[in-house]
Amino acid sequence: MADDFDDEFGEEESLLDLNALKNQKHDSTSKPENIMVSNTTAAEWKLELERVLPQLKVTIRTDNKDWRQHVEQMHSHSEGIEKSLSETKTLLNRLHEEITKTLDKIATREKVLEWAA
């Protein structure tokens, strides 16, 4: 972003001349002589604020190219997958054990039936 600024305006223009600012004297003539007074009431200010408020709101749109957000998302998805995988593995192992026991029972009953026939 700073590079874009330098490219657009040039490096010389983007730097402030601090020595010139130090040497510059603050004159009393640059100050206003009169104090400005507002004739606007508080109710008028509130009404104007209500009218202008929607234009003052700043909405920040997320950039789809923001890789940091994608990396965070990938980490959270990875953690969720690992958690689900560990839970699923235990359930599948129990199911495998039950199926193996059932198949063993069926095999032994088939053998008993073969001997009886």
Side-chain angles (χ1 to χ4, degrees), residues 75-90:
H75 284 296
S76 66
H77 287 316
S78 176
E79 290 170 2
I81 289 171
E82 286 178 18
K83 182 180 176 184
S84 297
L85 179 65
S86 65
E87 292 172 1
T88 305
K89 269 187 175 181
T90 56

Side-chain angles (χ1 to χ4, degrees), residues 31-70:
K31 296 180 184 178
E33 294 176 14
N34 303 9
I35 296 176
M36 297 175 67
V37 178
S38 175
N39 296 330
T40 309
T41 64
E44 289 174 339
W45 270 109
K46 288 181 182 179
L47 185 64
E48 181 67 14
L49 180 63
E50 287 176 12
R51 185 183 71 80
V52 180
L53 186 63
Q55 298 170 0
L56 298 177
K57 291 183 180 175
V58 177
T59 56
I60 299 173
R61 294 186 179 121
T62 57
D63 185 12
N64 290 336
K65 296 179 183 178
D66 187 15
W67 60 271
R68 289 176 194 90
Q69 188 177 28
H70 288 290

